Amino acid sequence: MRGALVQGVWLVILGLFLYTMASASHRQFLRKEKLFSYTARDLMIPECPVAPGVMSLRQLMKEHMWPSGRESVVLTSGEKVEGLITRRLIRRVPRSQWDQVSGSSLAVPLEMFSVESSPVGSSMKWNSRGKAVAVGPGEPAEGVIEVMESKGLKQVLVIQEGILLGTIRLERLRDIT
């Protein structure tokens, strides 16, 4: 009698496990079907924090990072993206020098990102830590989401010919899918 009970409990646990795995697989299939015809341009939002690269580190922190709580800002020169600056980079400079150092002199320039093949065959720009930070507007949506989730990214920039078109944020994508 006790052996049958234990066997029954194991069957229930196995059934729940199989149900959970099948449900996850089905959700993934539905997401891929839903996003099949979408590209990065379809998923992006045009609003993205940008600042002129000539701004001092103190100005960047005071006007763009502290009030919003942002961790990074895209620096531009006219319409062209110069690079990306983060709080981590700014913290490397002593505060006493923040007024003398411009954001663009410290930012990681766009040219420093290498281009590699994405899982779906087009190109994404990656930083030195292996995290994708920029995609082209034609990048397939499913590939973008897959890379963002696997690399733990909260957002990527959508850039075409050096011009920032927008940003894709992972929390927004979860609402869509």
Side-chain angles (χ1 to χ4, degrees), residues 141-174:
E142 180 57 31
V144 173
I145 294 170
E146 189 175 311
V147 169
M148 289 178 76
E149 289 177 341
S150 68
K151 299 283 188 180
L153 301 171
K154 294 180 182 174
Q155 72 174 11
V156 294
L157 305 175
V158 180
I159 298 176
Q160 184 174 25
E161 297 176 10
I163 297 174
L164 179 67
L165 302 178
T167 185
I168 299 173
R169 297 181 189 266
L170 191 58
E171 73 268 3
R172 183 175 180 272
L173 294 181
R174 289 188 176 132

Side-chain angles (χ1 to χ4, degrees), residues 45-135:
I45 53 173
E47 298 83 31
C48 186
V50 295
V54 296
M55 291 182 92
S56 71
L57 299 183
R58 188 169 315 281
Q59 286 176 296
L60 285 167
M61 289 299 286
K62 186 178 178 183
E63 297 176 24
H64 295 279
M65 293 177 147
W66 283 330
S68 65
R70 289 188 182 104
E71 287 297 315
S72 63
V73 174
V74 176
L75 298 179
T76 59
S77 175
E79 289 187 352
K80 294 282 187 179
V81 173
E82 284 188 334
L84 186 69
I85 190 152
T86 64
R87 285 179 185 244
R88 181 178 289 173
L89 287 171
I90 292 173
R91 286 187 195 121
R92 292 180 182 173
V93 177
R95 281 189 184 216
S96 61
Q97 296 177 13
W98 280 11
D99 288 320
Q100 291 80 36
V101 178
S102 71
S104 60
S105 68
L106 187 63
V108 178
L110 193 60
E111 300 82 43
M112 293 294 292
F113 300 119
S114 61
V115 177
E116 297 182 16
S117 180
S118 77
V120 286
S122 55
S123 62
M124 288 186 176
K125 292 186 180 270
W126 301 76
N127 68 16
S128 60
R129 293 189 323 216
K131 294 198 172 194
V133 294
V135 299

